């Protein structure tokens, strides 16, 4: 795609599917950039209902990208 940045999100939004090691609310967000090819991976635990979880994960991913871009200016 020739994109300069890539975001990825994976996790367990629930209500089921969690385990002791990966409980419901677990999310991983990754960011890779051409300028910094080593991906940045962050782990979060959002204990909230499914829709809130999905919104929070998306907002955190976009904020991660915003912070990366603000350092590039």
């Amino acid at each position: 795609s020739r994109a300069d940045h890539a975001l990825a999100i994976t996790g367990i939004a629930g209500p089921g599917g969690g385990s002791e090691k990966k409980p419901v609310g677990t999310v991983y967000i990754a960011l890779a950039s051409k300028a910094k090819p080593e991906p940045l991976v962050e782990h979060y635990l959002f204990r909230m209902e499914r829709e809130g979880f999905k919104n929070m994960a998306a907002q955190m991913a976009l904020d991660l990208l915003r912070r990366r871009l603000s350092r590039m200016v």
Side-chain angles (χ1 to χ4, degrees), residues 51-65:
E51 285 304 309
F53 171 91
K54 293 188 317 185
N55 287 330
M56 182 66 77
Q59 289 299 316
M60 293 301 291
L62 291 172
D63 187 59
L64 189 61
L65 177 60

Side-chain angles (χ1 to χ4, degrees), residues 5 18 22 25-26 35 40 45 48 55 57 63 68 72:
H5 307 279
K22 295 179 189 169
T26 298
L40 171 63
L45 184 61
M48 56 186 63
N55 287 330
D63 187 59
R68 169 72 54 92
M72 297 177 78

Side-chain angles (χ1 to χ4, degrees), residues 5-64:
H5 307 279
L7 283 169
I9 302 173
T10 189
I12 304 167
S19 68
E20 191 173 312
K21 282 184 142 181
K22 295 179 189 169
V24 170
T26 298
V27 66
Y28 289 89
I29 302 171
L31 171 64
S33 301
K34 281 184 180 179
K36 192 172 183 181
E38 180 74 23
L40 171 63
V41 179
E42 294 195 357
H43 170 252
Y44 300 95
L45 184 61
F46 301 137
R47 296 204 180 260
M48 56 186 63
E49 43 73 45
R50 184 178 177 86
E51 285 304 309
F53 171 91
K54 293 188 317 185
N55 287 330
M56 182 66 77
Q59 289 299 316
M60 293 301 291
L62 291 172
D63 187 59
L64 189 61

